[in-house]
């Protein structure tokens, strides 16, 4: 399964920060950062850091005006992705090295987080177990639309990844968002059968 690379994220952030210096971005429609925890699709990832013996190898926090800058940066090359980003409030990504000897502990903690999500109204729409790798994708709905998406992935001897995307998305936009963010796990999501009619 293809993963987003640090280089891809660093290039995106560098482009966005560079654009921030030369563009007058469209005013943000995103909620202020203080209100992010009040968003239905938000998951607090701060506790995940305590699971690991080392710092996150990949850490992305795109929120507020930075979301608008990412959308603007993509507007000419991928207008569909730019349009979707207009409905996104925040994107959080954490990727940690996962030594094989820590797999059981990290999977137990990941399952506890998954149970907590389900108790809070999230629905698991995808679960893939391929060799030793496990990937789960959860959606949180509000008013008949996807209000948040959370991806939990563990691959022993490689890494553990947690992604949380907060925003108002329609199910058919999730795969396009995955393509735009270079998240192959999201590119394959088909949740149309799980949405209310």
């Amino acid at each position: 399964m293809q993963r987003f690379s640090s280089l891809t994220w660093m290039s995106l952030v560098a482009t966005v920060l560079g654009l921030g210096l030369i563009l007058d971005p469209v005013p943000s429609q995103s909620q202020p950062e203080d209100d992010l925890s009040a968003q239905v699709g938000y998951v607090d990832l701060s506790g995940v850091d305590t699971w690991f013996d080392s710092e996150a190898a990949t850490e992305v926090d795109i929120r507020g005006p930075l979301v608008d800058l990412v959308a603007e940066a993509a507007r000419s090359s991928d207008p569909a992705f730019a349009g979707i980003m207009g409905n996104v409030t925040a994107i959080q990504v954490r990727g940690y090295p996962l030594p094989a000897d820590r797999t059981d502990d990290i999977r137990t903690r990941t399952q506890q987080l998954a149970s907590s999500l389900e108790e809070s109204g999230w629905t698991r729409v995808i679960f893939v177990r391929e060799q030793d790798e496990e990937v789960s994708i959860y959606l949180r709905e509000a008013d008949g639309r996807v209000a948040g998406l959370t991806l939990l992935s563990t691959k022993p001897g490689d890494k553990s990844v947690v992604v949380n995307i907060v925003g108002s998305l329609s199910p058919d936009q999730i795969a396009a968002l995955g393509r735009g963010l270079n998240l192959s796990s999201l590119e394959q999501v088909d949740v149309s059968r799980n949405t209310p009619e």
Side-chain angles (χ1 to χ4, degrees):
M1 181 175 291
Q2 180 185 349
R3 298 280 182 194
F4 45 87
S5 70
S6 306
L7 184 57
T8 301
W9 283 108
M10 289 188 323
S11 298
L12 175 64
V13 171
T15 300
V16 166
L17 292 177
L19 283 171
L21 297 174
I22 60 174
L23 291 178
D24 181 17
V26 176
S28 176
Q29 297 176 7
S30 304
Q31 295 289 326
E33 287 187 56
D34 295 347
D35 295 335
L36 191 57
S37 63
Q39 297 290 317
V40 174
Y42 173 74
V43 176
D44 183 1
L45 300 183
S46 62
V48 175
D49 288 334
T50 64
W51 301 357
F52 297 90
D53 298 330
S54 59
E55 293 183 12
T58 303
E59 189 168 348
V60 176
D61 279 301
I62 300 174
R63 57 182 79 188
L66 194 53
V67 172
D68 296 326
L69 289 174
V70 170
E72 192 60 38
R75 193 158 315 282
S76 63
S77 62
D78 191 346
F81 172 72
I84 293 168
M85 286 299 292
N87 294 324
V88 170
T89 304
I91 299 171
Q92 306 177 86
V93 179
R94 302 291 184 276
Y96 303 86
L98 180 56
D101 64 337
R102 294 286 321 278
T103 300
D104 290 340
D105 176 45
I106 297 304
R107 282 212 170 131
T108 297
R109 291 172 185 255
T110 301
Q111 290 166 354
Q112 290 169 344
L113 176 57
S115 294
S116 174
L117 290 173
E118 290 174 6
E119 290 168 8
S120 300
W122 291 75
T123 303
R124 183 168 75 178
V125 294
I126 304 271
F127 177 71
V128 176
R129 182 178 293 128
E130 188 175 296
Q131 297 175 353
D132 286 341
E133 183 175 19
E134 292 182 0
V135 178
S136 296
I137 297 176
Y138 289 83
L139 297 181
R140 182 70 160 91
E141 291 185 22
D143 300 324
R145 291 183 59 84
V146 175
L149 179 144
T150 299
L151 178 142
L152 308 172
S153 173
T154 55
K155 185 173 184 181
D158 190 9
K159 67 175 81 171
S160 177
V161 178
V162 180
V163 177
N164 176 236
I165 300 171
V166 183
S168 178
L169 304 169
S170 64
D172 60 325
Q173 293 175 319
I174 294 170
L177 186 64
R179 279 189 298 280
L181 295 172
N182 196 25
L183 296 171
S184 62
S185 299
L186 295 184
E187 289 181 55
Q188 302 166 17
V189 173
D190 177 10
V191 295
S192 57
R193 66 184 187 284
N194 294 315
T195 57
E197 299 194 20

